[in-house]
Amino acid sequence: MEVHSELEDSPQFRQPVDREDAIWELLRKINRKFDGDQVHYNYYLTRLAEKLASRILSSEEYYEEILKSVLTDPPSTEGLDRDEVVKIQFTALFCLAKLHQQLGETKEAIEVIKEHKEQFGDWDLFRYLHAELRSESGQERRVNRALEDVWQIREEDSSPEFEYLVSKIIAVILENGGTYTGSNREIPSQREELLDLAEKASRSALGDHPEYSPYLHVRGRILAQDGNTEAAKNCIREGIENLNRTRESHKGLVRDYQLALSKVEFTEQKQTFEKKSQEVVSQLDSLQDDLETETREFQTRILQFLGFFAGLITVAISTTQVILSVRGFEEAARLTLILNGGILIAFAGFSCVLPWRDRKRMVKRSTIVMLAGLILILGSIFAL
C-alpha cells in the first residue's frame, strides 16, 4: 500500500498534541487527503488511534475527552463549509471508536457509535465500522448481523475495504466451526459456498493492494479454511514482512499474525496426522481381511483333508466288504469301480461348496475329479 510520508513525517501525526485545536486540524488534514479513499482513511485513522492509545497508556493525556469534545463542539470552523465540518466530525467519531478498539474496549466503541447513529447511520463508513466492531464480539447473532450489514454496503460499493471486511467476518465464522445463520437469503448458509464467497472477496481486495498486510492476513486465514495450508502460510508470512515497523502496534500485530500462522501449521499437522492415521487403519483393515481369508482357506483345507481321509476309509471298508460278499471277480471289480467313482464325484461336489480364494481354479480341479469319477463308473458298466 502507498505510504504518504508527508503525513507520516509531519510533527502533528508523529507526536499528536493533546489540544482540541491541534487534534481538529490533524483530523481535517486526514479527511481532506483521503476523502473517498476508504483504505488509506481507515489505515491512517487506525494508526492515529494506535498513537493516542499508546500515549494514554503511558501518561495521563486525555485524548478520549478531546475527541469527544471536537466531535460535539468543533473548535474552529472558519473557512470550512457545513459538509466538511460534518465530515471532520465523523472522522473524529471514527478515530474515537478506533481508540476504544485499540484499548480493548469494544463494548465502549460500539456504544460511542450508537450515540451518533441518527447523524451518521446511513454513511457507508459508519456501517462498516459498526460491522467490524460487531464481528469482534464473538456472539453468533452479532457476527451474523455484521455480515449482513457489510454485505449490503458491498452491494452498493465494491471498495477493497468492504471486500476485506466480508472475508474477515466469514473467516471468523468458519474458524469458530459455524456458518451463516441469519435471515438474508442472498448470503449462502452452506460452508463451501460461504468459503467460496470469502475466497473471491479476499482475492478482490488484494487485487488493488497486493502487499497490504491486513488483506494478506485474512487471505491466509481463508486459504487455511479451504485446506490450502502452504499458500495460507505464505500469505501470512508476507503480511508479517510487510507490516510497518514504525507502528505503535507493530509487536501486537506480529503476535496476532504469528498466532494465525501457528493455527495454520497446527491444522496442517492435524491433516497430516489424520492422513497417516487413515493409511494405518487402511493397512490394518487389509491385514485383517488377509488374515480372515487365510483362516477360511486353512479351514477349507482341513475340511477337504478330512473329507479325503474319510473317503479313503470309506473306499477301504467298502472294497473289503465287496470282495468278501461277492464271489465273482468281475462283479466285485464292477462294484468297486462304481463305488470309487461315486466317492470321487461326492468329494468333487463337496470341494465345490467350500470357500476358496481362487474359486475358478478350485472349480477346474473339482471338475477333473468329477470326470474321473464318471469315467470309473462308465468303465465299470461298459468295460466289464
Side-chain angles (χ1 to χ4, degrees), residues 259-270:
L259 177 61
L261 183 61
S262 298
K263 289 181 179 179
V264 175
E265 291 173 342
F266 173 77
T267 301
E268 185 178 40
Q269 292 174 357
K270 182 181 177 182

Side-chain angles (χ1 to χ4, degrees), residues 101-119:
Q101 188 182 31
Q102 291 298 319
L103 294 171
E105 302 168 349
T106 302
K107 184 178 180 181
E108 289 78 0
I110 293 176
E111 292 300 322
V112 164
I113 62 175
K114 279 184 176 180
E115 293 174 4
H116 299 274
K117 185 174 182 178
E118 184 176 350
Q119 183 180 7

Side-chain angles (χ1 to χ4, degrees), residues 72-126:
T72 56
D73 185 20
S76 175
T77 59
E78 185 177 351
L80 303 174
D81 58 33
R82 175 59 185 166
D83 288 344
E84 187 170 7
V85 170
V86 173
K87 286 182 179 180
I88 300 173
Q89 286 179 298
F90 175 76
T91 303
L93 173 63
F94 198 99
C95 188
L96 179 59
K98 285 289 183 178
L99 175 59
H100 281 297
Q101 188 182 31
Q102 291 298 319
L103 294 171
E105 302 168 349
T106 302
K107 184 178 180 181
E108 289 78 0
I110 293 176
E111 292 300 322
V112 164
I113 62 175
K114 279 184 176 180
E115 293 174 4
H116 299 274
K117 185 174 182 178
E118 184 176 350
Q119 183 180 7
F120 302 110
D122 58 344
W123 289 36
D124 286 350
L125 278 175
F126 179 92

Side-chain angles (χ1 to χ4, degrees), residues 170-212:
I170 292 177
V172 171
I173 293 173
L174 297 179
E175 287 170 350
N176 289 329
T179 185
Y180 173 69
T181 56
S183 57
N184 190 331
R185 294 183 179 180
E186 295 181 0
I187 302 176
S189 58
Q190 298 298 319
R191 186 184 188 280
E192 293 303 320
E193 295 178 359
L194 201 61
L195 184 60
D196 183 61
L197 170 63
E199 194 279 329
K200 292 178 180 177
S202 64
R203 180 156 32 91
S204 176
L206 276 171
D208 294 329
H209 304 278
E211 298 181 355
Y212 191 30

Side-chain angles (χ1 to χ4, degrees), residues 117-376:
K117 185 174 182 178
E118 184 176 350
Q119 183 180 7
F120 302 110
D122 58 344
W123 289 36
D124 286 350
L125 278 175
F126 179 92
R127 291 150 66 193
Y128 167 91
L129 181 61
H130 198 185
E132 182 183 35
L133 293 170
R134 275 178 172 168
S135 69
E136 296 178 358
S137 67
Q139 299 179 15
E140 181 181 353
R141 181 179 60 83
R142 287 190 173 184
V143 175
N144 284 328
R145 183 63 185 277
L147 181 57
E148 292 168 357
D149 288 348
V150 75
W151 179 271
Q152 185 177 0
I153 305 169
R154 177 175 173 265
E155 289 183 332
E156 301 167 1
D157 186 348
S158 58
S159 165
E161 278 294 278
F162 304 146
E163 297 287 347
Y164 155 73
L165 188 54
V166 165
S167 56
K168 180 182 178 182
I169 295 174
I170 292 177
V172 171
I173 293 173
L174 297 179
E175 287 170 350
N176 289 329
T179 185
Y180 173 69
T181 56
S183 57
N184 190 331
R185 294 183 179 180
E186 295 181 0
I187 302 176
S189 58
Q190 298 298 319
R191 186 184 188 280
E192 293 303 320
E193 295 178 359
L194 201 61
L195 184 60
D196 183 61
L197 170 63
E199 194 279 329
K200 292 178 180 177
S202 64
R203 180 156 32 91
S204 176
L206 276 171
D208 294 329
H209 304 278
E211 298 181 355
Y212 191 30
S213 294
Y215 294 1
L216 288 166
H217 175 218
V218 169
R219 173 72 174 170
R221 291 164 63 186
I222 294 298
L223 289 172
Q225 288 298 312
D226 197 25
N228 194 348
T229 53
E230 195 61 36
K233 290 189 294 184
N234 291 336
C235 275
I236 297 174
R237 286 168 181 159
E238 186 178 354
I240 294 174
E241 293 175 2
N242 294 346
L243 282 170
N244 189 331
R245 287 172 171 75
T246 65
R247 292 181 66 165
E248 279 70 11
S249 63
H250 178 260
K251 290 183 179 179
L253 289 171
V254 170
R255 184 174 59 251
D256 291 343
Y257 284 27
Q258 287 178 338
L259 177 61
L261 183 61
S262 298
K263 289 181 179 179
V264 175
E265 291 173 342
F266 173 77
T267 301
E268 185 178 40
Q269 292 174 357
K270 182 181 177 182
Q271 291 173 348
T272 302
F273 175 76
E274 289 176 348
K275 184 178 179 181
K276 292 291 185 182
S277 299
Q278 290 175 354
E279 290 177 356
V280 171
V281 170
S282 178
Q283 291 175 357
L284 289 175
D285 289 341
S286 178
L287 288 174
Q288 184 177 0
D289 291 341
D290 291 343
L291 180 61
E292 290 176 354
T293 301
E294 293 292 339
T295 301
R296 286 195 299 268
E297 191 163 316
F298 177 74
Q299 292 172 343
T300 299
R301 291 184 182 279
I302 293 296
L303 290 173
Q304 191 180 36
F305 173 76
L306 291 175
F308 180 74
F309 186 71
L312 288 178
I313 294 176
T314 302
V315 168
I317 295 174
S318 300
T319 302
T320 303
Q321 290 292 332
V322 168
I323 293 172
L324 293 175
S325 62
V326 179
R327 296 180 178 179
F329 174 77
E330 291 184 1
E331 186 68 20
R334 181 181 290 110
L335 290 175
T336 301
L337 290 175
I338 292 172
L339 180 62
N340 290 338
I343 291 174
L344 286 176
I345 292 173
F347 181 74
F350 174 71
S351 297
C352 285
V353 300
L354 293 176
W356 291 92
R357 180 185 297 180
D358 192 346
R359 186 74 181 170
K360 291 183 178 180
R361 186 178 180 186
M362 188 57 218
V363 170
K364 183 178 179 181
R365 288 181 176 180
S366 298
T367 302
I368 294 173
V369 173
M370 189 175 294
L371 289 174
L374 288 172
I375 292 171
L376 288 178

